[in-house]
Amino acid sequence: MSKSETTKTVLVAGAANLILAITKLFAGLLAGSSAMLAESAHSVADTLNQGFLYTSIRRSERPPDRHHPFGYGNERYVWSLLAAFGIFVAGAGFSIFEGVLTMTGHGGGGTTVWLAYAVLGLGAVLEGASWIRAFYQAKKETRDSDRDLVEHVRKSPDVTFKTALFEDTAAMVGLALAAGGLAMRQITGSEFWDGLASALIGVLLVVLAFSIGRESMGLLIGRAADPAEQRRIRAEICSAPGVTGVDELLTMHFGPEQILVAAKVHFSDDISADEAEDVAGEIDRRLRESVPTVRHVFLDPTQRVIKTTAG
């Protein structure tokens, strides 16, 4: 995973959302469309969240210190959790409230509907460009792996990138809902459809916030490395000279680009303590080469206990 690629994805998404937040607000007010106002709230929330995500990237780059010996990689997940909360409050809450208000006959009233369509067209271009940027990053990261695109996005610990991709996808769906609500309002003459579109955008944002929040929380608690990476780590340890097996292997992410490895390793009985120390150093070096995200390796030498039964 490339931190620079994630930074580019976040900056592109942030710029697109900032432009759209302003234009959607004016279009929503002039057209009297609750769906457009909901989309404006959506873009405002996304803009703030891209700021959170950019902050998370910058702050997580700080080197380890006495108080944080494993670095600040997990701070990426803290800010992503805040981004999820922002989507829920600033985006979903306002969208559902505005939608219910309009469906009950207390919203709407604007006439400049053509402007709303123009802004939706602009939104499709800008959000589409941002989504393509996130999609390009996902394709680039899966090029040299055995995973397909969907599996990579699902298992990637880079929640910053995933948040940007999910937000852009939700934004494209939100634009379609807003356009549908406006069209039905013009066809039927009823504000209900516009309000329904706003409420549906709010529900979409609730789902988005829940997904990002659950992912961030799981990584904050401490998630193990991917099973394929664990198998590669175990194989590297077991292939070292003098190693007869691995009794227990523990892994945990400290940010998307750092993995801690702790293992109870069985060494052959005929190697000395000095030789075992040399083997452990070699295992450390090989693990860092074969799995670049491995940053910390702790090996605990153990002995196999041979059970005997009295006859």
Short mmCIF file of all heavy atoms in Angstrom, two decimals, residues 230 234 237 245-251 261-266 298-300 302:
data_model
loop_
_atom_site.label_atom_id
_atom_site.label_comp_id
_atom_site.label_asym_id
_atom_site.label_seq_id
_atom_site.Cartn_x
_atom_site.Cartn_y
_atom_site.Cartn_z
N GLN A 230 -0.20 -14.19 7.13
CA GLN A 230 0.16 -15.04 8.25
C GLN A 230 0.79 -16.35 7.76
O GLN A 230 1.77 -16.83 8.35
CB GLN A 230 -1.08 -15.34 9.10
CG GLN A 230 -1.62 -14.14 9.85
CD GLN A 230 -2.71 -14.53 10.83
OE1 GLN A 230 -2.55 -15.45 11.62
NE2 GLN A 230 -3.84 -13.83 10.78
N ARG A 234 4.52 -17.53 8.67
CA ARG A 234 4.78 -18.84 9.29
C ARG A 234 5.75 -19.66 8.43
O ARG A 234 6.66 -20.32 8.96
CB ARG A 234 3.46 -19.58 9.48
CG ARG A 234 3.61 -20.93 10.20
CD ARG A 234 2.26 -21.61 10.33
NE ARG A 234 1.40 -20.92 11.27
CZ ARG A 234 1.38 -21.15 12.58
NH1 ARG A 234 2.21 -22.06 13.10
NH2 ARG A 234 0.55 -20.49 13.36
N ILE A 237 9.34 -18.45 8.84
CA ILE A 237 9.92 -18.84 10.13
C ILE A 237 10.29 -20.33 10.11
O ILE A 237 11.40 -20.72 10.52
CB ILE A 237 8.95 -18.55 11.28
CG1 ILE A 237 8.71 -17.04 11.40
CG2 ILE A 237 9.50 -19.08 12.60
CD1 ILE A 237 7.65 -16.66 12.42
N GLY A 245 9.48 -25.89 14.16
CA GLY A 245 8.04 -25.62 14.16
C GLY A 245 7.69 -24.30 14.84
O GLY A 245 8.53 -23.69 15.50
N VAL A 246 6.45 -23.88 14.64
CA VAL A 246 5.93 -22.67 15.28
C VAL A 246 4.72 -23.07 16.12
O VAL A 246 3.73 -23.57 15.60
CB VAL A 246 5.52 -21.61 14.24
CG1 VAL A 246 4.90 -20.39 14.93
CG2 VAL A 246 6.73 -21.18 13.42
N ASP A 247 4.85 -22.88 17.44
CA ASP A 247 3.78 -23.28 18.34
C ASP A 247 2.63 -22.27 18.34
O ASP A 247 1.47 -22.65 18.37
CB ASP A 247 4.34 -23.41 19.77
CG ASP A 247 3.31 -23.96 20.73
OD1 ASP A 247 2.69 -24.99 20.40
OD2 ASP A 247 3.10 -23.35 21.80
N GLU A 248 2.95 -20.98 18.28
CA GLU A 248 1.92 -19.95 18.29
C GLU A 248 2.43 -18.74 17.52
O GLU A 248 3.56 -18.31 17.68
CB GLU A 248 1.60 -19.54 19.74
CG GLU A 248 0.43 -18.57 19.84
CD GLU A 248 0.06 -18.27 21.29
OE1 GLU A 248 0.89 -18.56 22.19
OE2 GLU A 248 -1.02 -17.72 21.53
N LEU A 249 1.56 -18.20 16.66
CA LEU A 249 1.91 -17.02 15.86
C LEU A 249 0.85 -15.94 16.10
O LEU A 249 -0.34 -16.15 15.86
CB LEU A 249 1.96 -17.37 14.37
CG LEU A 249 2.21 -16.20 13.41
CD1 LEU A 249 3.60 -15.60 13.65
CD2 LEU A 249 2.07 -16.66 11.95
N LEU A 250 1.30 -14.78 16.57
CA LEU A 250 0.41 -13.64 16.83
C LEU A 250 0.85 -12.46 15.96
O LEU A 250 2.05 -12.16 15.88
CB LEU A 250 0.44 -13.24 18.30
CG LEU A 250 0.07 -14.31 19.32
CD1 LEU A 250 0.27 -13.78 20.74
CD2 LEU A 250 -1.36 -14.77 19.11
N THR A 251 -0.10 -11.81 15.32
CA THR A 251 0.20 -10.63 14.50
C THR A 251 -0.81 -9.54 14.82
O THR A 251 -1.94 -9.82 15.21
CB THR A 251 0.14 -10.95 13.00
OG1 THR A 251 -1.19 -11.39 12.66
CG2 THR A 251 1.13 -12.03 12.62
N VAL A 261 4.90 -8.92 14.72
CA VAL A 261 4.88 -10.38 14.71
C VAL A 261 5.48 -10.89 16.03
O VAL A 261 6.58 -10.49 16.41
CB VAL A 261 5.69 -10.94 13.53
CG1 VAL A 261 5.76 -12.47 13.60
CG2 VAL A 261 5.08 -10.51 12.21
N ALA A 262 4.74 -11.74 16.71
CA ALA A 262 5.24 -12.40 17.92
C ALA A 262 4.97 -13.90 17.76
O ALA A 262 3.84 -14.29 17.44
CB ALA A 262 4.55 -11.85 19.16
N ALA A 263 5.99 -14.73 17.98
CA ALA A 263 5.83 -16.16 17.75
C ALA A 263 6.60 -16.98 18.76
O ALA A 263 7.70 -16.59 19.18
CB ALA A 263 6.27 -16.52 16.33
N LYS A 264 6.00 -18.10 19.16
CA LYS A 264 6.71 -19.10 19.94
C LYS A 264 7.28 -20.12 18.96
O LYS A 264 6.54 -20.80 18.26
CB LYS A 264 5.76 -19.78 20.92
CG LYS A 264 5.32 -18.88 22.07
CD LYS A 264 4.48 -19.65 23.08
CE LYS A 264 4.11 -18.77 24.27
NZ LYS A 264 3.31 -19.50 25.29
N VAL A 265 8.62 -20.17 18.91
CA VAL A 265 9.30 -20.95 17.89
C VAL A 265 10.06 -22.11 18.51
O VAL A 265 10.75 -21.94 19.53
CB VAL A 265 10.29 -20.05 17.09
CG1 VAL A 265 11.00 -20.85 16.02
CG2 VAL A 265 9.55 -18.87 16.48
N HIS A 266 9.93 -23.28 17.91
CA HIS A 266 10.68 -24.47 18.36
C HIS A 266 12.00 -24.53 17.61
O HIS A 266 12.03 -24.57 16.38
CB HIS A 266 9.89 -25.74 18.08
CG HIS A 266 8.61 -25.84 18.87
ND1 HIS A 266 8.60 -25.96 20.22
CD2 HIS A 266 7.32 -25.83 18.46
CE1 HIS A 266 7.34 -26.02 20.64
NE2 HIS A 266 6.55 -25.94 19.60
N PHE A 298 9.21 -10.44 17.30
CA PHE A 298 9.60 -10.94 18.62
C PHE A 298 9.43 -12.45 18.61
O PHE A 298 8.32 -12.96 18.39
CB PHE A 298 8.73 -10.32 19.72
CG PHE A 298 8.82 -8.82 19.79
CD1 PHE A 298 7.88 -8.03 19.15
CD2 PHE A 298 9.86 -8.20 20.47
CE1 PHE A 298 7.96 -6.65 19.20
CE2 PHE A 298 9.94 -6.82 20.53
CZ PHE A 298 9.00 -6.04 19.89
N LEU A 299 10.52 -13.17 18.84
CA LEU A 299 10.51 -14.63 18.83
C LEU A 299 10.79 -15.16 20.22
O LEU A 299 11.72 -14.72 20.90
CB LEU A 299 11.55 -15.17 17.84
CG LEU A 299 11.42 -14.69 16.39
CD1 LEU A 299 12.53 -15.30 15.54
CD2 LEU A 299 10.05 -15.03 15.81
N ASP A 300 9.99 -16.13 20.63
CA ASP A 300 10.14 -16.76 21.95
C ASP A 300 10.55 -18.22 21.74
O ASP A 300 9.72 -19.04 21.33
CB ASP A 300 8.81 -16.67 22.71
CG ASP A 300 8.89 -17.33 24.08
OD1 ASP A 300 10.01 -17.55 24.57
OD2 ASP A 300 7.81 -17.61 24.66
N THR A 302 11.06 -22.00 22.34
CA THR A 302 10.42 -22.98 23.22
C THR A 302 10.95 -24.37 22.89
O THR A 302 11.57 -24.59 21.85
CB THR A 302 8.88 -22.97 23.04
OG1 THR A 302 8.56 -23.31 21.69
CG2 THR A 302 8.30 -21.61 23.37
#
